């Protein structure tokens, strides 16, 4: 029976008394350091924080770059040793401690690997004695699928994604191990600008602010960016609760944030319609016509007919089957939340333990789901269909909705920007190209801080 440790996401704020314990598959990252140098450097820098405990597994044939990084960050290199104490004992030995991990001869066991992978028997025993929160490893190694209590086995990219969610939730913002930002404003501004980059690359969108004398001027563009800012915060909270141990509380908290998330998203779709309207100075017969939602059985709407005169590529994109179905799907859920059914969460389990929480959506409230491709349905995390009602993996569902929304908003703004760019004079194009390059390179404080950070990306 393996020892179990409480889920990291259930344990509260990381601290010296509540450390995040990590082991890495050193040989793999040593061998592929050219591919992982930036991430390993960030991981070693992260390990200098007081609440991070990083342990390397022993390895051989050290790569010069990997060794240089361990020396730069003063990372201890452990080894396996054999001692004869009433028989042979294999020790995991570091500069700080020794740990008996196996009885037997080291020469025999060190070359016995799990399932023809790279993880040796002494490695496995070390991992199970230390019981880390994370074992960061080659995601193609067969050891990844072996059950080991609460030890989370992840790729290095997945680790950084999860550590971002955890630390952001607890309002811990380190740009580097010796540079901490107070408050969440800079982080979420960076998150907004980096995710929805096409909204912030310098463009000539005319947002037509109000003529009122107040300093708080309304525009569709500012409303859009405000909502997307909150959308970034909302998805982080959803993901945090999805990483916690599934139970009634995590179901309730996820449903709470997911409902708000959907409202923000449909409001953002309405704001982007306003940005398009203002960009091309489109006059509408009825305010309700301001929408990019096209019902599944329609080919267009009055608003898009007007936009087509100015930007045919944009309209073609919005009428693409997957985009049209996706936007309509999100609106169907919003309509149900506001006027009919609300989400319901369902716990689930199997003989091997608790499974992720599931999200219940009635068929009548998500008809567009059946219009998606099989591939996209799988990405949304469909788990079961019961009497015409759908059950989704909450985490996969929310993350896919967010990721595809990022694609849609960036694609809409790209179509607008390209269209307007083509109408500029050559001198103005050069000026704009320079500004865009400066933005991408991170000329602003917010972008520079974010791009250099340990885990903001």
């Amino acid at each position: 029976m393996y020892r179990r440790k409480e889920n990291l996401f259930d344990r509260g704020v990381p601290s010296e008394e509540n450390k995040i314990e990590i082991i890495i598959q050193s040989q793999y990252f040593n061998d592929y350091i050219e591919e992982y140098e930036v991430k390993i450097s960030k991981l070693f820098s992260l390990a200098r924080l007081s609440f991070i405990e990083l342990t390397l597994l022993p390895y051989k044939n050290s790569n010069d770059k990997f060794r240089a990084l361990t020396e730069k960050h003063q990372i201890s290199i452990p080894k396996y040793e054999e001692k004869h104490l009433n028989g042979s004992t294999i020790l995991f030995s570091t500069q700080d401690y020794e740990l008996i991990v196996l009885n037997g001869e080291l020469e025999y066991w060190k070359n016995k690997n799990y399932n023809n992978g790279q993880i040796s028997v002494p490695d496995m025993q070390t991992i199970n004695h230390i019981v880390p929160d994370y074992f960061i490893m080659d995601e193609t190694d067969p050891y990844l699928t072996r059950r080991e209590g609460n030890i989370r086995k992840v790729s290095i990219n997945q680790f950084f994604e999860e550590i971002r969610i955890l630390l952001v939730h607890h309002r811990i913002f380190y740009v580097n191990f010796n540079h901490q930002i107070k408050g969440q404003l800079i982080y979420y501004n960076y998150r907004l600008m980096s995710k929805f980059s096409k909204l912030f690359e310098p463009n000539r969108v005319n947002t037509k602010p109000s003529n009122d004398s107040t300093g708080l001027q309304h525009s569709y563009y500012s409303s859009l960016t405000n909502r997307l800012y909150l959308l970034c915060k909302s998805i982080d909270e959803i993901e945090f609760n999805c990483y916690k141990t599934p139970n009634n509380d995590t179901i309730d908290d996820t449903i709470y944030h997911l409902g708000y998330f959907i409202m923000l998203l449909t409001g953002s779709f309405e704001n982007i319609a306003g940005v398009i309207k203002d960009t091309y100075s489109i006059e509408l017969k009825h305010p309700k016509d301001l929408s990019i939602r096209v019902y599944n059985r329609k080919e267009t709407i009055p608003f898009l007919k007007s936009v087509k005169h100015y930007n045919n590529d944009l309209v073609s994109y919005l009428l693409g089957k997957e985009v049209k179905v996706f936007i309509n799907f999100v609106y169907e859920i919003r309509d149900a939340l506001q006027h009919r059914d609300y989400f319901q969460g369902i716990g689930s389990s199997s003989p091997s333990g608790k499974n992720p929480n599931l999200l219940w959506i009635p068929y009548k409230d998500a008809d567009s789901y059946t219009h998606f491709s099989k591939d996209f349905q799988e990405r949304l995390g469909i788990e079961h269909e019961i009497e015409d009602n759908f059950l989704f993996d909450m985490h996969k569902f929310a993350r896919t909705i967010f990721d595809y929304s990022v694609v849609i908003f960036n694609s809409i703004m790209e179509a607008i920007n390209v269209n307007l760019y083509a109408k500029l004079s050559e001198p103005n194009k050069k000026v704009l190209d320079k500004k865009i390059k400066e933005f991408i390179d991170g000329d602003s404080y917010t972008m520079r801080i974010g791009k250099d950070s340990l885990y903001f990306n």
Side-chain angles (χ1 to χ4, degrees), residues 336-349:
L337 294 180
Q338 284 191 316
H339 306 296
R340 297 188 301 278
D341 304 299
Y342 205 80
F343 290 134
Q344 289 189 35
I346 298 176
S348 64
S349 62

Side-chain angles (χ1 to χ4, degrees), residues 3 10 36 52 77 151 220 231 282-283 300 343 377 386:
R3 291 179 293 164
D10 297 334
Y36 293 106
I52 301 284
I77 307 299
I151 298 170
Y220 287 113
L231 196 74
I282 294 171
E283 298 293 334
T300 189
F343 290 134
Q377 289 180 2
I386 302 175

Side-chain angles (χ1 to χ4, degrees), residues 114-259:
Y114 178 75
N115 234 5
N116 298 317
Q118 200 182 68
I119 309 299
S120 70
V121 171
D123 290 340
M124 292 167 57
Q125 292 297 104
T126 299
I127 293 166
N128 284 305
H129 275 76
I130 295 176
V131 195
D133 295 301
Y134 284 103
F135 177 46
I136 303 175
M137 60 176 293
D138 169 15
E139 60 185 334
T140 67
D141 194 292
Y143 184 64
L144 184 76
T145 59
R146 179 185 167 105
R147 290 187 63 83
E148 308 286 353
N150 272 5
I151 298 170
R152 185 97 167 96
K153 300 172 190 171
V154 294
S155 68
I156 194 165
N157 290 331
Q158 183 63 28
F159 165 77
F160 273 106
E161 179 61 16
E162 293 188 22
I163 211 70
R164 179 187 69 81
I165 294 294
L166 177 75
L167 298 184
V168 164
H169 174 81
H170 291 298
R171 302 297 184 259
I172 299 172
F173 303 100
Y174 276 94
V175 176
N176 212 318
F177 69 91
N178 59 0
H179 182 185
Q180 184 178 14
I181 294 172
K182 299 298 183 183
Q184 59 185 323
L185 183 64
I186 290 176
Y187 165 78
Y188 274 114
N189 274 332
Y190 172 73
R191 190 77 178 158
L192 170 69
M193 293 169 73
S194 60
K195 280 292 179 183
F196 299 95
S197 60
K198 296 302 177 182
L199 275 74
F200 294 93
E201 287 184 10
N203 56 67
R204 297 177 64 82
V205 173
N206 180 6
T207 57
K208 290 189 177 178
S210 166
N211 291 323
D212 295 340
S213 59
T214 175
L216 296 175
Q217 296 180 328
H218 164 77
S219 75
Y220 287 113
Y221 180 81
S222 62
S223 295
L224 172 63
T225 55
N226 287 340
R227 279 196 170 93
L228 294 179
Y229 175 95
L230 295 173
L231 196 74
C232 290
K233 295 182 67 173
S234 181
I235 189 64
D236 281 354
E237 287 303 305
I238 291 169
E239 293 202 79
F240 176 82
N241 283 288
C242 287
Y243 283 125
K244 290 172 70 70
T245 301
N247 56 37
N248 289 338
D249 285 343
T250 59
I251 288 175
D252 284 351
D253 288 341
T254 306
I255 291 294
Y256 170 80
H257 289 290
L258 190 54

Side-chain angles (χ1 to χ4, degrees), residues 368-422:
S368 289
Y369 175 78
T370 60
H371 295 264
F372 285 125
S373 66
K374 291 295 182 184
D375 175 67
F376 199 83
Q377 289 180 2
E378 290 177 5
R379 286 168 57 191
L380 281 168
I382 185 71
E383 293 288 333
H384 305 286
E385 186 176 347
I386 302 175
E387 297 179 354
D388 290 334
N389 296 320
F390 299 120
L391 291 175
F392 299 89
D393 178 314
M394 281 191 184
H395 195 179
K396 290 181 181 178
F397 179 86
R399 187 64 203 228
T400 298
I401 294 289
F402 177 78
D403 287 345
Y404 196 56
S405 297
V406 170
V407 172
I408 288 177
F409 285 109
N410 280 325
S411 297
I412 290 172
M413 289 305 299
E414 175 74 357
I416 292 173
N417 292 342
V418 167
N419 177 260
L420 297 178
Y421 182 87

